[in-house]
Amino acid sequence: KNVNLEENFKKKYILAVGRLTQQKNFLFLIKAYHQFLNKNEYVLIIAGEGEMHNEINSYIERYDLQKNIFLIGHKENIYPYFKNASCYVMSSQWEDPGFVLIESFFLKTPVISSDCPNGPKELIIDHENGFKFENNKIDSFIKSFDEFENSNKDKIKKIIKNGLKISKKYTVFNHYNSLVNMLESNDK
């Protein structure tokens, strides 16, 4: 489905990105979002394709959530979606290492993530550079989302700044410098 952010999203939105697979745990995210739908002003955009599309779409239709949750498929250029998102949510059960998390940091989009291993667990320091919730725990997700939503602008700016610092560790330039340093130390 083609989504025009200008026309369709006058409301604030939560962004989730990844393949529609069990690993990414979008059905969990949708169920959690459904529980707090009445007390928030956000829509949920999920960008990605995958084998769970029909199952996820069926849940959305069964609970009449089509005006609140949008499956927009794969996007060649996801960056405008990050730029305009209120926050990025990673609901994954596991990651390796979670590149979209690093992209979110780099694009200055606040992060709310599960504490899954191999990425978020290691990269996110709760309330320092993002908000973490216990994997597959709806109450924990809602608590983290409420903490994000109730944070003042200075706290969010600090979290974004700290996330940006982490993203710089993963640039091509930084990897190049690390490789050069290793090669130079081996020559000595």
Side-chain angles (χ1 to χ4, degrees):
K1 178 175 175 176
N2 239 351
V3 175
N4 181 326
L5 289 176
E6 302 291 322
E7 291 175 24
N8 294 321
F9 298 109
K10 301 292 183 200
K11 289 179 137 185
K12 296 188 263 183
Y13 66 91
I14 301 164
L15 179 65
V17 178
R19 289 198 37 77
L20 305 181
T21 63
Q22 190 65 38
Q23 173 194 357
K24 299 300 183 186
N25 213 10
F26 290 130
L27 204 50
F28 160 82
L29 176 59
I30 290 168
K31 289 175 182 176
Y33 173 84
H34 187 196
Q35 281 199 17
F36 72 91
L37 175 66
N38 293 333
K39 67 176 193 167
N40 83 73
E41 55 188 55
Y42 298 87
V43 295
L44 173 60
I45 297 175
I46 300 175
E49 297 172 352
E51 62 266 14
M52 290 188 68
H53 181 273
N54 291 341
E55 183 178 351
I56 291 169
N57 200 48
S58 291
Y59 185 92
I60 292 168
E61 289 175 356
R62 182 175 336 125
Y63 292 98
D64 198 26
L65 299 170
Q66 300 91 322
K67 292 179 181 166
N68 304 97
I69 301 174
F70 299 88
L71 301 179
I72 62 171
H74 172 76
K75 295 294 173 198
E76 284 298 319
N77 183 4
I78 194 69
Y79 301 115
Y81 292 86
F82 272 106
K83 182 181 180 241
N84 294 299
S86 296
C87 65
Y88 166 72
V89 174
M90 179 177 274
S91 54
S92 298
Q93 296 186 71
W94 69 91
E95 279 295 333
D96 40 50
F99 292 111
V100 73
L101 185 63
I102 296 163
E103 289 172 337
S104 185
F105 287 153
F106 182 75
L107 295 167
K108 301 177 183 175
T109 305
V111 172
I112 302 171
S113 177
S114 69
D115 62 356
C116 73
N118 302 328
K121 193 170 210 155
E122 293 81 12
L123 292 174
I124 296 180
I125 301 165
D126 200 21
H127 293 90
E128 289 297 317
N129 63 349
F131 298 87
K132 268 200 280 195
F133 63 91
E134 288 180 70
N135 204 356
N136 286 315
K137 305 280 188 197
I138 289 177
D139 289 346
S140 180
F141 170 78
I142 292 171
K143 181 178 181 240
S144 290
F145 190 85
D146 286 345
E147 289 170 352
F148 157 75
E149 193 173 28
N150 293 321
S151 294
N152 65 41
K153 288 183 182 194
D154 289 336
K155 181 173 182 173
I156 296 297
K157 283 181 184 178
K158 178 184 167 218
I159 284 171
I160 288 170
K161 181 179 175 186
N162 291 337
L164 186 59
K165 286 179 188 176
I166 287 177
S167 74
K168 290 181 179 182
K169 294 178 185 178
Y170 296 93
T171 64
V172 172
F173 182 72
N174 192 52
H175 286 294
Y176 167 79
N177 283 337
S178 296
L179 184 60
V180 167
N181 288 337
M182 281 191 301
L183 293 173
E184 286 176 350
S185 68
N186 285 337
D187 288 344
K188 295 179 183 177

